Amino acid sequence: YCICPLRAQYQFRNCHIRSAGRDIYYDTEKTENLEGRTIMNSYFFQTEKLSVGYDGKPLIKEIEIKLNRGQILTLIGPNGAGKSTILKSITRQLKTIGGAVYLEQKEMQKMSDKAIAQKLSIVMTERMNTELLTCEDIVSTGRYPYTGTLGILSEEDRRKVTEAMEMVHALELRDRDFSAVSDGQRQRVLLARAICQEPEMIILDEPTSFLDIRHKLELLTILKEMVSKKNVAVIMSLHEIDLAQKVSDMVMCVRGEYIEKYGTPEEIFTSSYIRSLYGMTKGSYNAEFGCLEMESPKGKPEIFVIGGNGSGISVYRKLQRQGIPFAVGVLHRNDKDYEVAKVLASEVIWEKPFEPISEETLKKALDVMKQCKKVICPLSDFGTVNIKNKVLLETAEKMKILEKIR
């Protein structure tokens, strides 16, 4: 494993080293032995020309997944694109239409259910039909791959059930009827079941659905800890692209008949590509901040905002909510205000990074400001490069159009 400053690809005999941003991975490719038989490569989990769909009709074709232990692969894409279909197919809940799925170089189609369950756990979104089962009973089923025919748990099994429930903060639910708990609580119980199964790989379908912010972050933190400390491989689908951008090692973009894109978060999460992937017609996605912004108000600017250094972001969003078109200046293009202002403001007067505001830029800002009815100045710090913004503030005071922030 090595670090490379360039996005390059290198070939070595029957192997290749491929770049993913700056991280370079050494991947052994598929080779043939002297008898001409195919030997699968060293990936822990892999699909080969996989086609999935329903009733024998392919929905998505030639899916190629290559995943090692200690990595998180996240599936993103619009509703109905087929993310859940892919996950159900690779976990044998749906019959595949073509291709093959390999787990630790073994074709899963030929593996027993018990052999798979000892390596792979699943957390899906469908409601389970449970009768008179407590949450602890549900978590306990994660130990069944290791018990005898009667499914009797040992003291060690029960200890692992308790530890898993504690890890997801669900121990207080242990005696509750599983069918009577909330969707968010149910999701945590199912994650605990997956954890106590002690898998080498976890597959999750929209695991953050129904969870509040606290439990979303806790769930993803638990997954990251399992990946880093226990070398678990994870494949999941997420609708929250801001979380996918922050937690994933690799990202698969699902849209159309074929996988549209497969790469690192740095390669996938650009503002223009996310807009294209989801067919966004309103608002925008800010790749730098990992957040969505609503569409900007239309019309001639009514308010001029003197912002900078992050001071104006809340003001821009408030004016957007109120539907008031506004202008902003003077911002340097490397200012964090700029990323939000450029998508919400009617006009942004900007200066080059690290350069003092020029007389020409100041004049442009003054001209725009004098056309506005009011001026708001959330900026309180004036330094060497933005000192001329103080001229805007003083001019607004003289014109008696400066409004205090409420």
Side-chain angles (χ1 to χ4, degrees), residues 233-252:
V234 175
I235 299 180
M236 63 179 169
S237 62
L238 283 180
H239 279 302
E240 299 93 335
I241 55 177
D242 56 330
L243 296 178
Q245 182 175 0
K246 296 173 177 67
V247 77
S248 310
D249 295 299
M250 301 296 291
V251 180
M252 176 182 283

Side-chain angles (χ1 to χ4, degrees), residues 126-139 141 176-181 186 189-190 193:
E126 284 87 354
R127 286 183 175 273
M128 298 173 60
N129 185 18
T130 60
E131 294 183 7
L132 304 177
L133 289 179
T134 66
C135 291
E136 186 176 34
D137 293 334
I138 295 296
V139 178
T141 62
R176 295 270 304 276
D177 185 338
F178 180 73
S179 62
V181 299
R186 184 178 293 113
V189 170
L190 294 178
R193 181 183 67 170

Side-chain angles (χ1 to χ4, degrees), residues 39 92 139 152 208 253 326 370 401:
I39 303 173
R92 304 201 309 187
V139 178
I152 299 174
T208 53
C253 304
F326 62 96
K370 289 174 182 177
I401 57 174

